[in-house]
Amino acid sequence: MIYVHNTMGDKKEPFKPEKKGIVRMYVCGPTVYGPAHIGHARTYIAFDIIRRYLEWKGYNVKLVINITDVHDDMIARANELNTTIFELADKFIKKFFADMKALKVKEASVYPRVTQEIEPIIETIKILEEKGYAYETKDGVYYDISKFPEYGKLSGIKPSKSITGTRVETDRYDKRSVQDFALWKKAKPNEPFWESPWGEGRPGWHIECSVMSSKYLGLPIDIHGGAVDLIFPHHENEIAQSEAAYDVKPFVKYWLHTGFLVIEGQKMSKSLGNFITVPELLEKYDARVFRFFIATKHYRSRVDFAKDAMVHATNTLKRLDDFIQRLYEVEASGPCNVDAIISKAKKEFEQAMDDDFNAPLAWRAIFNLETEANRLMAANKLTKDASAKIIDFLKDINRIFDVFSFERKQAQLAEEDMRLIKLREKLRKEKRFAEADKIREQLKKKGIILIDTPEGTKWRLAQ
Ligand code: AMP
Ligand code: ZN
């Protein structure tokens, strides 16, 4: 049984998806007006690992990630760059997909775009208006949070009385409370717009996620994710919209939030000059190293992207890569009961991941297996069959983390050494064994061990 920490109620709960064997998952996607940064990478890798773990457990996961391609910030950026939001979005959507691919984040099932979902968005706003949750003003349509008494149940942030209780005498076309949020924004001159019952305009930000999640996944959805910054107001508003419009409670069974990524202890921001885009990251580090760095953290923890931590991740992954290469080189045969060690590791791994995807603990199980295997290797007790089983286990785990390299590296020998190996093979065929043995000894002195197999002579470097 998997347990997940639900932000709603702030407690761990047994994970029981609505439909047996199927997980309907929605993760808030990027606003596409600039390159993806390593904070995005953190969140999407963390959810990628959660998604892959659920698949590893046998669930059929349907994942939706929305693309916010119309937004106030996008309009501002498009004006700055003398382009349209459509061109801006096309450019950065392509880059976003390329960045995610480079980071080995598996594709979502659907990536709906706001500008292609205007009709269902308008339909939902109409429902909210008909039910009395929304009102029109001179600049848009707003959600009246005083009509939704449960507002604040996710974040614990309740609307303050002074704001909702005493309504300031205003023009009836003004917003009623500062905390009411826009469902529809009427277009100002030179802004992109769509026709609607409230005139030309565009959707507010929050409504897209209510509409797209229900349209593509149905209701209720099992997992809704994003980083902690989205709990309030974005996810709080999503709940107010969906539960009021679609008569479903709760609209989301489990709210999961990733911790923020900071840089050397500081919030990442352009003004501090510590903003790192995904391409900039990948110029410096192998994508596997960053994935490993994130994979070894708890998804709920804050992540500090610091030089020391990245050096540590680089070295640890290198050590694991070398470990895999050494496993490939084991040639010994004979009895070696490695099954108990592997099943212990697998059990500990699974127990940790079942407990709210506790990756740091799950990795400990893998490191313990490495230590055990190294001990057997050092004592010359690890056999080829046992090594193969360990490699199979690591390959299985890698379906989730996707960090290991299983490419078998053949160290390069000098041309002269390769010539000697070939010559020795020829001598053996001619049954000139004494001369062949001399070559074997000569190479052994250089640390090259020859192994004669039915498929020919192989070599490895002495450890
Ligand atoms: P945005 O493009 O800012 O709307 O963000 C897209 C997704 O990335 C959302 O789920 C955010 O919560 C998440 N996100 C943004 N910045 C960070 C960060 N520094 N660390 C972790 N996640 C982030
Ligand atoms: Zn969202």
Side-chain angles (χ1 to χ4, degrees), residues 420-432 436:
L420 284 174
I421 293 174
K422 290 220 173 77
L423 174 62
R424 179 177 166 274
E425 271 190 295
K426 185 168 166 279
L427 291 170
R428 274 165 53 84
K429 273 191 197 131
E430 292 166 7
K431 306 215 182 309
R432 291 156 70 182

Side-chain angles (χ1 to χ4, degrees), residues 30-34 67-71 74 77-78 83-97 113-116:
T31 309
V32 280
Y33 62 102
I67 304 279
T68 305
D69 60 353
V70 55
H71 189 276
M74 283 198 72
R77 182 68 53 84
T83 179
T84 64
I85 57 163
F86 304 100
E87 274 175 16
L88 200 59
D90 283 347
K91 177 174 165 191
F92 286 107
I93 287 172
K94 272 195 202 107
K95 285 191 193 289
F96 176 74
F97 287 153
R113 291 174 61 163
V114 183
T115 55
Q116 287 162 16

Side-chain angles (χ1 to χ4, degrees), residues 172-392:
R172 77 180 182 91
Y173 288 116
D174 273 342
K175 191 168 138 171
R176 292 177 190 165
S177 155
V178 285
Q179 280 160 307
D180 289 352
F181 58 89
L183 296 165
W184 187 260
K185 295 184 169 191
K186 294 184 182 172
K188 296 193 193 85
N190 296 324
E191 284 185 349
F193 65 82
W194 288 263
E195 297 295 339
S196 83
W198 315 281
E200 293 166 348
R202 64 179 181 279
W205 172 35
H206 314 290
I207 192 70
E208 66 184 68
C209 289
S210 283
V211 172
M212 292 174 177
S213 60
S214 60
K215 175 171 170 185
Y216 290 96
L217 293 171
L219 289 167
I221 58 176
D222 297 305
I223 294 180
H224 193 316
V228 278
D229 62 322
L230 298 187
I231 298 175
F232 187 86
H234 184 53
H235 290 162
E236 198 70 72
N237 292 350
E238 276 189 44
I239 294 172
Q241 295 164 158
S242 294
E243 296 189 0
Y246 309 134
D247 295 318
V248 57
K249 222 172 255 191
F251 131 70
V252 169
K253 294 189 80 165
Y254 309 99
W255 286 95
L256 269 55
H257 289 101
T258 47
F260 236 47
L261 177 139
V262 296
I263 308 228
E264 311 259 350
Q266 279 189 311
K267 193 171 180 242
M268 179 167 44
S269 80
K270 288 218 169 93
S271 54
L272 285 174
N274 63 356
F275 191 90
I276 302 173
T277 65
V278 173
E280 283 164 358
L281 168 87
L282 297 180
E283 267 170 31
K284 268 185 114 171
Y285 299 99
D286 185 343
R288 288 197 300 126
V289 170
F290 187 74
R291 242 189 110 86
F292 178 67
F293 171 64
I294 298 299
T296 48
K297 303 275 182 281
H298 198 294
Y299 76 92
R300 299 182 62 218
S301 318
R302 192 172 97 137
V303 170
D304 192 3
F305 182 84
K307 213 172 182 181
D308 288 359
M310 290 307 286
V311 168
H312 181 70
T314 305
N315 293 340
T316 312
L317 189 59
K318 163 98 179 48
R319 193 192 75 211
L320 289 164
D321 281 348
D322 291 348
F323 172 62
I324 290 171
Q325 292 302 319
R326 282 189 291 109
L327 286 172
Y328 278 132
E329 286 162 14
V330 172
E331 291 291 342
S333 56
C336 172
N337 190 0
V338 83
D339 295 351
I341 297 171
I342 294 174
S343 55
K344 180 172 178 278
K346 186 168 178 188
K347 193 171 155 217
E348 287 172 2
F349 169 82
E350 200 167 349
Q351 270 172 359
M353 290 299 280
D354 278 354
D355 184 11
D356 194 28
F357 315 105
N358 190 338
L361 205 59
W363 276 98
R364 205 177 298 161
I366 299 167
F367 296 146
N368 287 343
L369 171 77
E370 180 199 5
T371 308
E372 291 289 328
N374 274 332
R375 199 172 289 154
L376 288 171
M377 254 191 256
N380 267 329
K381 282 186 181 155
L382 198 72
T383 61
K384 195 176 172 65
D385 287 354
S387 292
K389 284 182 185 170
I390 296 174
I391 291 171
D392 283 348

Side-chain angles (χ1 to χ4, degrees), residues 143-187:
Y143 189 101
D144 183 346
I145 60 166
S146 71
K147 297 277 163 55
F148 190 74
E150 289 168 78
Y151 193 85
K153 64 180 173 178
L154 179 71
S155 60
I157 301 173
K158 290 280 176 191
S160 62
K161 279 219 166 60
S162 59
I163 292 162
T164 52
T166 52
R167 215 159 261 163
V168 202
E169 273 305 305
T170 51
D171 184 316
R172 77 180 182 91
Y173 288 116
D174 273 342
K175 191 168 138 171
R176 292 177 190 165
S177 155
V178 285
Q179 280 160 307
D180 289 352
F181 58 89
L183 296 165
W184 187 260
K185 295 184 169 191
K186 294 184 182 172

Side-chain angles (χ1 to χ4, degrees), residues 41-84:
R42 189 271 136 100
T43 286
Y44 296 120
I45 292 173
F47 281 111
D48 182 49
I49 289 170
I50 291 176
R51 177 246 187 116
R52 286 172 183 242
Y53 183 67
L54 293 168
E55 287 175 344
W56 188 83
K57 293 284 279 191
Y59 287 108
N60 176 354
V61 180
K62 184 153 190 210
L63 171 66
V64 175
I65 296 181
N66 65 302
I67 304 279
T68 305
D69 60 353
V70 55
H71 189 276
D72 295 358
D73 295 341
M74 283 198 72
I75 296 172
R77 182 68 53 84
N79 285 340
E80 257 169 57
L81 301 174
N82 220 354
T83 179
T84 64

